[in-house]
Amino acid sequence: MCGIVGYVGSEQSSKILYEGLRRLEYRGYDSAGVAVMNDGGLNIVRAVGNLAHLGKALETEDVSGNIGIGHTRWATHGKPSEANAHPHQDCTGNLAIVHNGIIENFAELREELSGRGHDFHSETDTEVIAHLIEEQMTNGCDSLPSAVREASKSLDGTYAIAAVCTDDPDHIVAARRDSPLVIGVGETGNFLASGIPAFLAHTREVINIENGDVVILSADSITILDENDNSITRESETVDWDVAAAEKGGYDDFMLKEIFEQPEAFRNTIRGRFKDDHVTLDELKLTDQQVADISKIYIVACGTSYHAGMVGKYAIEKWARIPVELDVASEFRYRDPVIDENTLVIAISQSGETADTLAGVVQAREQGAKVLAVVNVVGSLLTREADILILTHAGPEIGVAATKTFTCQLAAMYLVGLYLATARGTLSSGERRSIISELERMPEMIQETLEDHSMITEATEKYFELPDFLYLGRGVGFPVALESALKMKEISYIHAEGYAAGEMKHGPIALIEDGTPVITVANNSLVQDKVLSNVQESIARGASIVIVGTRGDKTTMGQADDFFPVPECDEILSPVLTTIPLQLFSYHVAKRRGCNVDQPRNLAKSVTVE
Ligand code: AGP
């Protein structure tokens, strides 16, 4: 969580920092600030609340200068307040730092530093770093980079740090351990950020900073010192994200834009993957023997990515006949799962930064498993921890609620499932061809689903003021119910439960009373009749029924107060379609309630803490 931006070059930095923070605001938005260096002095402006408050403050302050750092915060230590907003300073006021991550030993460090006479002005863990650097600068370190290096040796936990100091007026110095930080190589200067969208308007040339690196940026040079303080060259790469993709492009919200980008995003994720009756996944460098030897797969993920994993489990077990266990990453990492060299661990993460997922992956590798990661953000931490990487090509997702990255994760899991089924000979060529042709048609079917949504806005009017929603589904409809309930609660703050439809009678049925909305995934499938029986049980108790069903299915339509149609498609692939009306439903309900759908309260896009 938290977003960091830095710029040094020939332009005014405050504008670039603010614009960069605007693009990183999804990472945290309870306060923000910048520090700009000029004429041997530091000008710091901070504000509580979302970035607009900082924008206002910057209008009235003189923050001219060509070198600066900025930060948008998601509170971990200390409430959102101006004092806790970054940048933080040392006792001299000559140094300013921004930080993303958590310093686990900050309490001890703070006590020690206080004992040595340092004054603290915030409740944050970050401030200790400023004072540690200050001590290094006064106790023998001859430069800011070496002070940052020495100070970082005292830190337990995770960090990405950027520092500026009036003693070194031409440089930004940065370091990282397990929190993301990338360099943007620009024409008018150089950039630093915790996410590429921050500088996409200026450059697409990116250098990844590795754990243990210390980076020294000037207007026209980039020096990277590795953990042994050797100056090294890291190759830059050009990302193909375009700047419009990180802007709203005429939509009211990023979330709505991202929902409507799904046909293209899905198409990009499967592009070039099919050859006749099989999938080409060159990244999956497993020999036939290694594939044959896989005895078990664990899928490890959090939140929406976990729901994508659940669909992946159904697909892999059905198509490739390999047993799959699905784990929430925060449980997986502590429950001592049975892993050996014949275990494949599939980690799914949009951001590639989720702390629990990363920890699970590291642990699984230590125990001999091969790790395949499905990730959207190029160069993110998870991409570097995995043996095999499959990128989803959803483009940048700015809205905190995952939408297009979810359907692209589904696409990636289908590719993996088909690949494994081919390698293990568990699906015939004809079966594979049929699935592939449905996948190729999927972008058009998504488009069709998106175009036909007037009934969703109408239904919104009936339901938006209700306090509780129950979501039901069976088979692959179950993860869709879970995901849709998650979407509803995270952006509208309505209590929503997702349940396996067959489990309803074991408890949740007690929640149903007159008018309780029961949202049911009941498209054509092997289990459709069973789901419809559960719908009848709900009707008998007074529920209002919303059904996502197959277009033209009159019997099902007849049982619904509101019916959201999707095109007919293969059952296992159907979550790609059935999820879409329910994304839109959550979106419209949240908007009708006046919620900020892009930045829901208490959440952040990248969850880099445990
Ligand atoms: C989804 O809408 C949520 N914001 C959240 O559950 C998210 O999916 C989860 O934090 C996992 O993130 P990741 O995919 O980046 O690992």
Side-chain angles (χ1 to χ4, degrees):
M1 346 276 240
C2 303
I4 291 177
V5 189
Y7 171 73
V8 47
S10 55
E11 313 264 322
Q12 283 298 320
S13 62
S14 65
K15 192 162 174 280
I16 290 176
L17 296 176
Y18 182 74
E19 281 306 307
L21 290 177
R22 205 168 59 73
R23 297 206 172 82
L24 290 185
E25 208 184 357
Y26 63 90
R27 299 180 65 89
Y29 33 82
D30 56 47
S31 56
V34 297
V36 175
M37 225 170 8
N38 200 3
D39 286 341
L42 263 179
N43 211 334
I44 295 188
V45 182
R46 303 185 293 185
V48 185
N50 68 17
L51 205 60
H53 294 87
L54 178 67
K56 270 220 151 46
L58 286 172
E59 282 168 17
T60 55
E61 299 271 345
D62 174 21
V63 276
S64 56
N66 306 93
I67 172 166
I69 52 178
H71 187 269
T72 179
R73 179 170 185 250
W74 185 87
T76 56
H77 298 67
K79 61 184 180 304
S81 67
E82 192 171 328
N84 288 335
H86 300 214
H88 290 287
Q89 290 192 274
D90 65 343
C91 298
T92 67
N94 293 338
L95 174 85
I97 69 155
V98 290
H99 162 231
N100 173 17
I102 288 192
I103 305 306
E104 287 164 3
N105 58 338
F106 92 100
E108 300 98 278
L109 291 171
R110 188 176 169 125
E111 205 179 317
E112 289 165 20
L113 286 158
S114 298
R116 295 198 290 269
H118 290 266
D119 283 333
F120 282 82
H121 300 281
S122 77
E123 303 160 285
T124 64
D125 54 340
T126 301
E127 199 181 346
V128 297
I129 308 172
H131 294 282
L132 284 172
I133 297 173
E134 174 195 351
E135 279 200 344
Q136 293 301 331
M137 299 276 282
T138 46
N139 293 345
C141 278
D142 55 355
S143 68
L144 180 60
S146 57
V148 168
R149 163 77 72 211
E150 285 309 309
S152 65
K153 290 180 182 163
S154 309
L155 305 175
D156 291 341
T158 61
Y159 56 81
I161 311 164
V164 286
C165 182
T166 54
D167 295 346
D168 188 355
D170 299 323
H171 296 109
I172 301 175
V173 175
R176 68 162 280 247
R177 184 201 292 157
D178 294 335
S179 285
L181 203 57
V182 286
I183 297 168
V185 187
E187 304 246 302
T188 66
N190 292 311
F191 302 79
L192 194 70
S194 34
I196 297 166
F199 50 66
L200 213 47
H202 304 277
T203 180
R204 292 209 228 141
E205 208 182 329
V206 174
I207 300 174
N208 284 312
I209 302 174
E210 300 292 341
N211 268 346
D213 287 352
V214 168
V215 172
I216 306 149
L217 287 189
S218 76
D220 53 13
S221 70
I222 297 168
T223 307
I224 303 179
L225 306 174
D226 70 9
E227 53 196 354
N228 301 314
D229 275 333
N230 297 317
S231 176
I232 46 156
T233 308
R234 295 208 190 281
E235 293 306 318
S236 65
E237 55 179 307
T238 307
V239 294
D240 59 4
W241 294 4
D242 88 59
V243 71
E247 296 286 357
K248 284 188 195 157
Y251 287 89
D252 287 346
D253 315 272
F254 281 113
M255 182 181 175
L256 190 62
K257 172 176 172 257
E258 287 155 5
I259 289 173
F260 276 85
E261 282 173 345
Q262 289 178 106
E264 194 55 26
F266 194 94
R267 188 175 288 119
N268 288 342
T269 302
I270 60 168
R271 175 167 289 136
R273 294 301 195 173
F274 303 126
K275 201 154 181 252
D276 305 325
D277 62 355
H278 64 272
V279 167
T280 49
L281 278 183
D282 295 338
E283 306 89 326
L284 238 165
K285 291 190 181 71
L286 296 179
T287 61
D288 288 351
Q289 193 54 49
Q290 281 171 317
V291 176
D293 286 344
I294 297 173
S295 56
K296 185 192 232 179
I297 294 176
Y298 283 98
I299 299 179
V300 180
C302 305
T304 292
S305 300
Y306 173 83
H307 300 146
M310 205 162 170
V311 177
K313 168 186 163 78
Y314 285 42
I316 293 171
E317 289 191 335
K318 187 168 174 69
W319 295 341
R321 310 306 296 154
I322 304 173
V324 180
E325 267 198 55
L326 180 70
D327 265 68
V328 169
S330 52
E331 290 299 315
F332 180 80
R333 62 184 291 193
Y334 291 115
R335 77 170 174 85
D336 199 11
V338 182
I339 290 175
D340 61 23
E341 62 283 359
N342 293 329
T343 308
L344 176 67
V345 170
I346 303 180
I348 309 176
S349 173
Q350 176 285 129
S351 62
E353 283 180 28
T354 303
D356 288 317
T357 309
L358 276 163
V361 158
V362 170
Q363 195 175 304
R365 282 184 78 187
E366 278 167 12
Q367 290 176 48
K370 280 247 172 311
V371 174
L372 184 162
V374 173
V375 182
N376 192 50
V377 177
V378 186
S380 58
L381 303 177
L382 188 53
T383 63
R384 291 179 250 164
E385 291 293 347
D387 301 297
I388 305 154
L389 172 66
I390 297 189
L391 284 172
T392 48
H393 293 283
E397 187 176 71
I398 310 295
V400 164
T403 52
K404 62 175 178 172
T405 54
F406 175 64
T407 40
C408 289
Q409 287 169 342
L410 296 182
M413 293 311 293
Y414 294 138
L415 295 176
V416 172
L418 275 176
Y419 177 90
L420 294 173
T422 311
R424 290 170 72 111
T426 45
L427 281 183
S428 70
S429 166
E431 287 167 321
R432 294 194 313 257
R433 269 181 209 278
S434 144
I435 296 167
I436 287 172
S437 88
E438 287 269 287
L439 282 169
E440 285 177 325
R441 268 189 342 110
M442 200 52 88
E444 284 135 61
M445 292 195 279
I446 300 173
Q447 189 63 45
E448 225 180 282
T449 310
L450 285 167
E451 275 163 13
D452 192 6
H453 70 277
S454 54
M455 73 295 287
I456 299 173
T457 39
E458 278 163 30
T460 300
E461 287 306 310
K462 284 198 237 168
Y463 301 109
F464 80 95
E465 286 177 306
L466 297 178
D468 296 295
F469 286 24
L470 186 58
Y471 284 77
L472 301 178
R474 276 183 191 245
V476 287
F478 174 33
V480 174
L482 291 175
E483 168 58 13
S484 305
L486 173 67
K487 214 91 298 168
M488 183 60 85
K489 65 189 140 200
E490 73 178 327
I491 62 168
S492 76
Y493 318 139
I494 291 175
H495 171 241
E497 294 267 1
Y499 253 90
E503 273 290 291
M504 188 189 61
K505 56 190 172 294
H506 299 289
I509 198 164
L511 295 173
I512 298 177
E513 52 188 42
D514 259 358
T516 303
V518 174
I519 325 289
T520 311
V521 182
N523 55 310
N524 286 348
S525 72
L526 278 177
V527 289
Q528 189 191 28
D529 288 345
K530 308 277 174 205
V531 181
L532 291 177
S533 303
N534 303 129
V535 165
Q536 285 306 318
E537 290 154 14
S538 306
I539 292 173
R541 285 152 184 90
S544 298
I545 304 295
V546 178
I547 291 183
V548 178
T550 306
R551 170 165 299 122
D553 177 355
K554 292 215 167 61
T555 319
T556 306
M557 227 184 286
Q559 301 182 41
D561 295 293
D562 293 279
F563 185 80
F564 302 162
V566 294
E568 168 95 64
C569 85
D570 176 275
E571 183 175 342
I572 291 279
L573 306 185
S574 65
V576 178
L577 300 177
T578 51
T579 203
I580 286 170
L582 297 178
Q583 291 172 343
L584 285 167
F585 186 50
S586 302
Y587 170 83
H588 287 297
V589 167
K591 288 295 280 185
R592 194 67 182 76
R593 291 165 69 88
C595 299
N596 179 343
V597 293
D598 286 340
Q599 295 175 346
R601 69 182 179 209
N602 303 339
L603 296 176
K605 187 74 182 163
S606 306
V607 184
T608 55
V609 295
E610 271 199 61

